[in-house]
Amino acid sequence: MEFDLKTIEALAPDQASLSAASKLTKRSNWPRLEKNEQQALIWGECQGSGSNPYRTVVDTGDHGYKCTCPSRKFPCKHTLALMWIAATAPASFTAAESTPEWVNDWLGRRRKTTPQPAAAKPGAETGASGKSIGEASQPDEVTAIEDAAAAERREAAQRKRAEDTRTAVAGALDELDQWIADQLRLGLSAFADASSERCRRIAARLVDMKATALAGRIDEIPARLMALRSEERPDAAIRELGKLVLLAKAWRSTPDDPELKRLVSASETRDQVLANPDAKQVDSHWEVIGEKIETRRDGLVSHSTWLLDLKCPTPQFALLLDFFPASAGRRSAAFTPGDRFDARLVFYPSRQPLRALVAERKGDVVSGAWPDFGLDTIKDPLAAHASHQDAAPWSTDCPLMLPAGAILLDERGAAWWQAAHDPQGIALPVAGTVDQTVLGLDLAATAALWNGARLDLLAAQSGFGRLDLS
């Protein structure tokens, strides 16, 4: 085994991961540890938060590894713990009589980072290349056949993994339906008070069943409920759980839909989105109208950057979404609210394309007032939200461009956006606190996010110019 503590420290993504791994080795978390010295492999199972243990395998020859846990750190603490045991207590391992199927599956899919020298056959003459004369004289067709067979095996393994994931996610959604039925049976008033513990349990279960994205969404429900007044929480709980039911039904009808897969299990990579010929592309001038930075319960920080299309005659938005570990600290942002630039954006496939990637940034654009967008003709400020919900009723935050209005306070000190020159007196509640300097100002246009209960203000145009409200 080619591990020592210095090697493990070099492989650790950060000191916290190494500390967590050392703690794992001090507890009875590894019910089984095995090795295969002929293939230089070690593997084991570690009990996590779910019912199924995490499976971890390490190739000691080139330090390749794989773990089934949902951690975004590479290597994860379970992999580091397995390496730690191999370095400090190799006697803990037992020789395996056979290699498990899940280890063989990983071996068949991975590419080694260091080439393994081929052993020469006894009695065979070899040349400078290390091949025997018989091997060197074989036609190239043999190699082509072997490559084709390997590609076919990889494709078959990929199809099997996709089918296994689909089966696991379907089971996760069945458990989610049962969990929602239990919450309704127990009462939504009690759910609002105990949402943190209840959501954490079902989220951990969904992670084990490969519904990772859905688990993260459920894990954030308590924070959304606690941001509301107590009398509003039961209605908000109904709205949140109802969206989950709609999302589960939509996935069951079209499990291969890229948008639904992104919301339930895992998102596409950047390269996959950019290479998608069907992805929507928009070449325009963009303004950064605001950002939201939130620390999630899974230890990640969500950084949302909202953009406004300045050349479109109607309000069109784009979302740049990034995640990074909270332990990494605040990262320097690529954009600042108020920045304007010319760029080509590629949108993730969706019924209402919103999340995007900057495929090509061409240069900065001169600042100025927003286009008119025809806001004077808007009778219902929430019309865009209604259209968005009709297309994707499981969605949460919807960007809006509100017509002329002002930010006012009610008798309780809560902030509201009030439409100007509106005989019906349309008013929408505002989340959080508002800078006192913007209260009562005449706002020609206001960009905000509406989640069905509150407005998150992003930016506004006034007689004093652009106002940053995010």
Side-chain angles (χ1 to χ4, degrees):
M1 300 198 180
E2 302 177 10
F3 285 120
D4 54 38
L5 297 184
K6 290 185 178 180
T7 302
I8 298 171
E9 291 175 358
L11 291 173
D14 52 43
Q15 188 61 36
S17 301
L18 199 59
S19 176
S22 64
K23 292 178 182 179
L24 273 179
T25 62
K26 298 176 182 178
R27 303 199 303 265
S28 300
N29 272 324
W30 296 91
R32 185 170 70 213
L33 294 170
E34 296 181 310
K35 62 182 177 180
N36 188 322
E37 295 181 351
Q38 286 76 21
Q39 294 180 300
L41 294 174
I42 56 174
W43 62 85
E45 294 181 346
C46 177
Q47 186 62 51
S49 57
S51 58
N52 296 323
Y54 300 133
R55 291 174 168 177
T56 309
V57 57
V58 176
D59 187 334
T60 61
D62 63 358
H63 299 168
Y65 56 86
K66 172 66 178 177
C67 183
T68 59
C69 76
S71 174
R72 293 175 183 263
K73 293 183 179 180
F74 304 102
C76 65
K77 63 180 181 180
H78 310 101
T79 303
L80 292 172
L82 187 64
M83 296 178 180
W84 194 292
I85 297 174
T88 59
S92 303
F93 291 82
T94 59
E97 297 180 359
S98 62
T99 305
E101 182 179 352
W102 60 273
V103 176
N104 286 327
D105 180 63
W106 173 72
L107 286 174
R109 289 184 285 110
R110 72 181 297 256
R111 292 182 177 180
K112 285 192 175 280
T113 57
T114 57
Q116 300 296 320
K121 296 180 180 180
E125 297 183 18
T126 58
S129 63
K131 291 185 177 181
S132 67
I133 296 177
E135 290 174 341
S137 62
Q138 289 180 354
D140 294 338
E141 286 79 359
V142 175
T143 303
I145 293 174
E146 292 177 350
D147 291 344
E152 184 177 353
R153 287 195 298 271
R154 286 194 298 270
E155 292 176 0
Q158 185 176 5
R159 290 192 297 268
K160 184 179 183 302
R161 289 195 302 274
E163 185 61 31
D164 291 344
T165 299
R166 181 182 298 182
T167 301
V169 171
L173 296 182
D174 290 340
E175 292 206 13
L176 175 65
D177 287 344
Q178 183 60 53
W179 178 79
I180 292 176
D182 291 341
Q183 309 317 307
L184 297 177
R185 176 175 54 82
L186 296 172
L188 292 180
S189 295
F191 171 77
D193 295 334
S195 59
S196 180
E197 181 182 355
R198 296 185 185 182
C199 290
R200 175 53 61 91
R201 283 202 300 265
I202 185 62
R205 184 71 183 124
L206 295 182
V207 168
D208 290 341
M209 302 183 73
K210 300 185 179 181
T212 308
L214 185 59
R217 174 170 176 167
I218 293 175
D219 219 8
E220 297 306 311
I221 289 179
R224 299 172 72 92
L225 295 180
M226 292 301 108
L228 304 175
R229 293 194 295 267
S230 58
E231 64 270 19
E232 297 177 304
R233 291 170 188 171
D235 289 339
I238 294 176
R239 186 166 55 249
E240 295 286 349
L241 297 181
K243 290 179 181 294
L244 296 178
V245 172
L246 294 174
L247 178 58
K249 288 186 176 181
W251 186 92
R252 289 189 179 100
S253 63
T254 53
D256 292 328
D257 183 90
E259 178 184 9
L260 300 176
K261 290 172 64 176
R262 187 183 318 126
L263 295 173
V264 173
S265 53
S267 177
E268 310 95 312
T269 64
R270 174 184 175 89
D271 292 338
Q272 288 174 332
V273 175
L274 296 178
N276 188 348
D278 299 327
K280 176 183 176 182
Q281 300 190 27
V282 178
D283 198 332
S284 185
H285 294 168
W286 304 91
E287 178 180 312
V288 180
I289 57 173
E291 62 180 6
K292 286 181 64 177
I293 301 176
E294 299 175 319
T295 301
R296 297 160 34 121
R297 296 183 69 191
D298 58 4
L300 294 178
V301 175
S302 169
H303 189 168
S304 304
T305 303
W306 292 91
L307 307 180
L308 175 65
D309 189 343
L310 299 176
K311 295 174 69 175
C312 187
T314 58
Q316 296 295 327
F317 300 87
L319 168 63
L320 307 179
L321 188 57
D322 186 24
F323 298 96
F324 56 90
S327 59
R330 177 70 182 270
R331 297 201 303 190
S332 58
F335 304 98
T336 303
D339 286 352
R340 290 191 172 191
F341 56 91
D342 183 10
R344 176 171 60 88
L345 266 57
V346 179
F347 287 78
Y348 284 73
S350 175
R351 290 160 180 77
Q352 292 283 337
L354 190 60
R355 184 180 175 184
L357 297 170
V358 178
E360 181 184 4
R361 182 168 177 173
K362 304 176 182 179
D364 294 337
V365 178
V366 178
S367 300
W370 292 343
D372 178 67
F373 292 129
L375 298 179
D376 294 338
T377 62
I378 295 179
K379 298 181 179 180
D380 181 7
L382 298 180
H385 174 259
S387 175
H388 196 84
Q389 289 294 298
D390 288 342
W394 48 79
S395 60
T396 52
D397 293 344
C398 175
L400 301 174
M401 183 61 72
L402 303 173
I407 307 298
L408 306 174
L409 298 179
D410 61 14
E411 62 277 3
R412 296 181 301 179
W416 292 73
W417 174 86
Q418 173 71 56
H421 314 299
D422 180 28
Q424 297 180 355
I426 295 178
L428 301 174
V430 176
T433 58
V434 178
D435 192 334
Q436 298 292 318
T437 59
V438 304
L439 294 177
L441 287 181
D442 292 330
L443 305 178
T446 303
L449 304 176
W450 176 252
N451 61 11
R454 290 284 190 277
L455 282 174
D456 277 325
L457 302 178
L458 296 176
Q461 285 283 352
S462 71
F464 299 97
R466 183 189 186 281
L467 302 176
D468 182 16
L469 306 178
S470 64

PDB file of all heavy atoms in Angstrom, residues 81 96 106 125 127 163 171 229 317 321 328 337 385 419:
ATOM      1  N   ALA A  81     -10.591   8.874   5.015  1.00  0.00           N
ATOM      2  CA  ALA A  81     -10.565   7.962   6.163  1.00  0.00           C
ATOM      3  C   ALA A  81     -10.079   6.579   5.755  1.00  0.00           C
ATOM      4  O   ALA A  81      -9.316   5.926   6.480  1.00  0.00           O
ATOM      5  CB  ALA A  81     -11.965   7.876   6.781  1.00  0.00           C
ATOM      6  N   ALA A  96      -9.847  -9.966   0.320  1.00  0.00           N
ATOM      7  CA  ALA A  96     -11.128 -10.306  -0.298  1.00  0.00           C
ATOM      8  C   ALA A  96     -10.986 -11.553  -1.161  1.00  0.00           C
ATOM      9  O   ALA A  96     -10.024 -11.695  -1.916  1.00  0.00           O
ATOM     10  CB  ALA A  96     -11.631  -9.145  -1.143  1.00  0.00           C
ATOM     11  N   TRP A 106     -16.797   0.203 -11.175  1.00  0.00           N
ATOM     12  CA  TRP A 106     -15.969   1.419 -11.153  1.00  0.00           C
ATOM     13  C   TRP A 106     -14.677   1.221 -11.933  1.00  0.00           C
ATOM     14  O   TRP A 106     -14.254   2.112 -12.676  1.00  0.00           O
ATOM     15  CB  TRP A 106     -15.670   1.781  -9.702  1.00  0.00           C
ATOM     16  CG  TRP A 106     -14.696   2.919  -9.557  1.00  0.00           C
ATOM     17  CD1 TRP A 106     -14.922   4.235  -9.814  1.00  0.00           C
ATOM     18  CD2 TRP A 106     -13.340   2.838  -9.125  1.00  0.00           C
ATOM     19  NE1 TRP A 106     -13.792   4.976  -9.571  1.00  0.00           N
ATOM     20  CE2 TRP A 106     -12.800   4.150  -9.136  1.00  0.00           C
ATOM     21  CE3 TRP A 106     -12.513   1.790  -8.709  1.00  0.00           C
ATOM     22  CZ2 TRP A 106     -11.503   4.426  -8.769  1.00  0.00           C
ATOM     23  CZ3 TRP A 106     -11.218   2.078  -8.337  1.00  0.00           C
ATOM     24  CH2 TRP A 106     -10.717   3.373  -8.358  1.00  0.00           C
ATOM     25  N   GLU A 125       9.968 -13.569 -27.023  1.00  0.00           N
ATOM     26  CA  GLU A 125      10.978 -12.578 -27.374  1.00  0.00           C
ATOM     27  C   GLU A 125      10.312 -11.215 -27.386  1.00  0.00           C
ATOM     28  O   GLU A 125       9.230 -11.037 -27.917  1.00  0.00           O
ATOM     29  CB  GLU A 125      11.570 -12.897 -28.754  1.00  0.00           C
ATOM     30  CG  GLU A 125      12.302 -14.233 -28.797  1.00  0.00           C
ATOM     31  CD  GLU A 125      12.923 -14.456 -30.163  1.00  0.00           C
ATOM     32  OE1 GLU A 125      13.072 -13.463 -30.900  1.00  0.00           O
ATOM     33  OE2 GLU A 125      13.265 -15.601 -30.480  1.00  0.00           O
ATOM     34  N   GLY A 127      10.757  -6.855 -27.957  1.00  0.00           N
ATOM     35  CA  GLY A 127      11.537  -5.789 -28.573  1.00  0.00           C
ATOM     36  C   GLY A 127      11.669  -4.622 -27.638  1.00  0.00           C
ATOM     37  O   GLY A 127      11.352  -4.697 -26.451  1.00  0.00           O
ATOM     38  N   GLU A 163     -30.473   3.803 -15.858  1.00  0.00           N
ATOM     39  CA  GLU A 163     -31.676   3.085 -15.452  1.00  0.00           C
ATOM     40  C   GLU A 163     -31.728   2.909 -13.947  1.00  0.00           C
ATOM     41  O   GLU A 163     -32.798   3.051 -13.328  1.00  0.00           O
ATOM     42  CB  GLU A 163     -31.715   1.720 -16.151  1.00  0.00           C
ATOM     43  CG  GLU A 163     -33.000   0.939 -15.889  1.00  0.00           C
ATOM     44  CD  GLU A 163     -34.236   1.663 -16.390  1.00  0.00           C
ATOM     45  OE1 GLU A 163     -34.133   2.398 -17.391  1.00  0.00           O
ATOM     46  OE2 GLU A 163     -35.305   1.481 -15.768  1.00  0.00           O
ATOM     47  N   GLY A 171     -38.267   5.695  -6.680  1.00  0.00           N
ATOM     48  CA  GLY A 171     -38.512   5.280  -5.300  1.00  0.00           C
ATOM     49  C   GLY A 171     -38.451   6.451  -4.334  1.00  0.00           C
ATOM     50  O   GLY A 171     -39.230   6.520  -3.371  1.00  0.00           O
ATOM     51  N   ARG A 229     -44.186  35.832   8.678  1.00  0.00           N
ATOM     52  CA  ARG A 229     -44.874  35.947   9.958  1.00  0.00           C
ATOM     53  C   ARG A 229     -45.573  34.632  10.276  1.00  0.00           C
ATOM     54  O   ARG A 229     -45.930  33.865   9.376  1.00  0.00           O
ATOM     55  CB  ARG A 229     -45.877  37.095   9.926  1.00  0.00           C
ATOM     56  CG  ARG A 229     -45.223  38.475   9.808  1.00  0.00           C
ATOM     57  CD  ARG A 229     -46.229  39.572  10.136  1.00  0.00           C
ATOM     58  NE  ARG A 229     -47.299  39.594   9.154  1.00  0.00           N
ATOM     59  CZ  ARG A 229     -47.293  40.358   8.067  1.00  0.00           C
ATOM     60  NH1 ARG A 229     -46.253  41.148   7.826  1.00  0.00           N
ATOM     61  NH2 ARG A 229     -48.298  40.335   7.233  1.00  0.00           N
ATOM     62  N   PHE A 317     -34.942  38.381 -18.289  1.00  0.00           N
ATOM     63  CA  PHE A 317     -33.925  38.238 -17.260  1.00  0.00           C
ATOM     64  C   PHE A 317     -33.098  36.980 -17.507  1.00  0.00           C
ATOM     65  O   PHE A 317     -33.493  36.085 -18.255  1.00  0.00           O
ATOM     66  CB  PHE A 317     -34.568  38.154 -15.873  1.00  0.00           C
ATOM     67  CG  PHE A 317     -35.381  39.361 -15.497  1.00  0.00           C
ATOM     68  CD1 PHE A 317     -36.727  39.454 -15.848  1.00  0.00           C
ATOM     69  CD2 PHE A 317     -34.803  40.401 -14.792  1.00  0.00           C
ATOM     70  CE1 PHE A 317     -37.479  40.561 -15.503  1.00  0.00           C
ATOM     71  CE2 PHE A 317     -35.542  41.516 -14.437  1.00  0.00           C
ATOM     72  CZ  PHE A 317     -36.887  41.596 -14.799  1.00  0.00           C
ATOM     73  N   LEU A 321     -25.879  31.190 -11.752  1.00  0.00           N
ATOM     74  CA  LEU A 321     -25.929  30.511 -10.460  1.00  0.00           C
ATOM     75  C   LEU A 321     -24.620  29.789 -10.204  1.00  0.00           C
ATOM     76  O   LEU A 321     -24.130  29.041 -11.054  1.00  0.00           O
ATOM     77  CB  LEU A 321     -27.091  29.520 -10.439  1.00  0.00           C
ATOM     78  CG  LEU A 321     -27.417  28.851  -9.099  1.00  0.00           C
ATOM     79  CD1 LEU A 321     -27.718  29.893  -8.028  1.00  0.00           C
ATOM     80  CD2 LEU A 321     -28.594  27.900  -9.265  1.00  0.00           C
ATOM     81  N   ALA A 328     -14.833  27.833   2.284  1.00  0.00           N
ATOM     82  CA  ALA A 328     -13.883  28.555   1.431  1.00  0.00           C
ATOM     83  C   ALA A 328     -13.937  30.054   1.651  1.00  0.00           C
ATOM     84  O   ALA A 328     -13.084  30.791   1.155  1.00  0.00           O
ATOM     85  CB  ALA A 328     -14.157  28.241  -0.043  1.00  0.00           C
ATOM     86  N   PRO A 337     -23.180  44.582  -9.009  1.00  0.00           N
ATOM     87  CA  PRO A 337     -24.443  45.224  -9.392  1.00  0.00           C
ATOM     88  C   PRO A 337     -24.210  46.573 -10.051  1.00  0.00           C
ATOM     89  O   PRO A 337     -23.475  47.422  -9.556  1.00  0.00           O
ATOM     90  CB  PRO A 337     -25.171  45.360  -8.049  1.00  0.00           C
ATOM     91  CG  PRO A 337     -24.653  44.215  -7.237  1.00  0.00           C
ATOM     92  CD  PRO A 337     -23.210  44.076  -7.623  1.00  0.00           C
ATOM     93  N   HIS A 385     -45.436  36.639 -13.442  1.00  0.00           N
ATOM     94  CA  HIS A 385     -45.355  35.519 -12.502  1.00  0.00           C
ATOM     95  C   HIS A 385     -46.418  34.471 -12.820  1.00  0.00           C
ATOM     96  O   HIS A 385     -46.146  33.252 -12.775  1.00  0.00           O
ATOM     97  CB  HIS A 385     -45.533  36.025 -11.075  1.00  0.00           C
ATOM     98  CG  HIS A 385     -45.596  34.938 -10.050  1.00  0.00           C
ATOM     99  ND1 HIS A 385     -46.785  34.502  -9.498  1.00  0.00           N
ATOM    100  CD2 HIS A 385     -44.620  34.182  -9.475  1.00  0.00           C
ATOM    101  CE1 HIS A 385     -46.546  33.525  -8.639  1.00  0.00           C
ATOM    102  NE2 HIS A 385     -45.244  33.316  -8.602  1.00  0.00           N
ATOM    103  N   ALA A 419     -48.145  50.499  -6.098  1.00  0.00           N
ATOM    104  CA  ALA A 419     -48.220  50.972  -7.481  1.00  0.00           C
ATOM    105  C   ALA A 419     -48.689  52.416  -7.512  1.00  0.00           C
ATOM    106  O   ALA A 419     -49.561  52.830  -6.734  1.00  0.00           O
ATOM    107  CB  ALA A 419     -49.156  50.094  -8.297  1.00  0.00           C
TER     108      ALA A 419
END
